[in-house]
Amino acid sequence: QVQLVESGGGLVQAGDSLRLSCAASGLTFSSYAMGWFRQAPGKEREFVAARSRSGGATYYADSVKGRFTISRDNAKNTVYLQMNSLKPEDTAVYYCAAERGGYRPPTLRESYDYWGQGTQVTVSS
């Protein structure tokens, strides 16, 4: 059974940093591209960042480029999202997702096969 478990969310002030983690189990982690999405209240789930199976390719939404960094440790079956210079508009539930094979467009929700339950990030002004 595949499980993706996010952690690291919380309440911070604007300008602060957070690091989210997503621990994967029940799958061959190195065979999956990994992504982060977020969903704010009343809005659709949107792409944040993705990293290829080997970690050689990364993708970012324009809104987070230069502030967020996605990384992965295939030995630990874990993907991370380092978030710096947080803004109130970054407030959302953050989800990690896994895409088997890494062949589908990484920015699209429908590309992903498995999802975590999400972790709340709240940024106060």
Side-chain angles (χ1 to χ4, degrees), residues 17-100:
S17 298
L18 274 178
R19 188 175 83 153
L20 305 184
S21 300
C22 172
S25 61
L27 52 73
T28 304
F29 187 71
S30 60
S31 296
Y32 285 74
M34 299 298 296
W36 286 95
F37 287 72
R38 66 186 182 187
Q39 188 166 16
K43 295 188 176 181
E44 293 197 351
R45 193 170 299 188
E46 65 175 5
F47 170 75
V48 175
R51 190 134 192 161
S52 63
R53 292 179 296 167
S54 66
T58 55
Y59 309 86
Y60 295 96
D62 287 343
S63 59
V64 307
K65 206 170 291 184
R67 300 188 298 122
F68 290 12
T69 302
I70 184 171
S71 61
R72 64 186 294 162
D73 186 336
N74 285 357
K76 295 183 178 180
N77 287 6
T78 301
V79 62
Y80 305 96
L81 185 67
Q82 177 67 43
M83 306 186 294
N84 298 331
S85 303
L86 282 161
K87 304 174 181 181
E89 51 264 44
D90 295 318
T91 295
V93 177
Y94 283 72
Y95 299 89
C96 74
E99 186 243 322
R100 182 172 52 245

